[in-house]
Amino acid sequence: MFEPRVALASLSGEADADWARAGSEYAGLAFLGGIALDTASRGAARELVARDRNEFLPDDPFAFIDAQLASLADADIDPAFNVRSATVEPVREAARVCADHDAVVEVNAHCRQDELCAVGCGESLLVETDRLVEYVTAAAETGATVSVKLRTEVAGVDLVATARRLETAGADVLHVDAMDSEEMIAEIVDATDCFVVANNGVRDRDSVREYLEYGADAVSVGRPSDDPRVLERVRDATVEWFASPA
């Protein structure tokens, strides 16, 4: 889907086009964002800013997505955009913008901040699977390539069953924050034909190999995504793995 099979994972308020360009020597895909799309999610993002978190809060989030993706048209990295919404239609609109740029739209079912979960964004979508499926269906109907950012270890959530439903709804990519349950990557790989990107603690050769041994198609780097030393180690280990004879 992209080469090298290293992605830069979104960092709210930091993962913009400049950040993606800076990592383009080491990664094949960059998940920009996350960005709040509708009134409720933007209100939650403002609350996060009030307690000193970085968030993207442009006047027009769709124009922001469009401009950021347009600025990467000549970059040597494929773009994606991680989006949050408490309602489905803004996800559909963001997916249309991404489709126009041949970019991936990523539905955020991952963030666990209380403010976001309280309005029905992020991790709360894993518990309300029907609503998450609705988001993915709406995004897929636009023709965009659809990723879903997930996390393991959410109480009451059968992530393998959820992954199967998301694939049926039209998800192409499952971007999985494995937390401390790295073995879940293997279960999701076995359960679906989606392209699986493994996330959490990807820092060096050992962490890369662990996820790829579980069958991940790619890995992603989160917090150290602006550290060339980490990115170089991860890129080299990933390229080495896929270049080795089966």
Side-chain angles (χ1 to χ4, degrees), residues 126 129 150-154 156-168 174 176 183-194:
L126 290 176
T129 313
L150 309 167
R151 73 163 67 249
T152 67
E153 302 179 10
V154 178
V157 173
D158 181 339
L159 200 60
V160 169
T162 299
R164 290 193 182 108
R165 289 193 63 189
L166 296 176
E167 180 181 26
T168 300
L174 298 177
V176 184
E183 68 281 356
M184 280 298 301
I185 296 297
E187 295 188 39
I188 292 170
V189 167
D190 289 345
T192 77
D193 290 324
C194 291

Side-chain angles (χ1 to χ4, degrees), residues 1-7 27-28 195 212 216-220 238-239 242:
M1 186 173 180
F2 53 89
E3 295 287 345
R5 295 199 206 186
V6 177
F195 189 93
L212 297 182
D217 297 292
V219 296
S220 73
T238 305
V239 170
F242 286 108

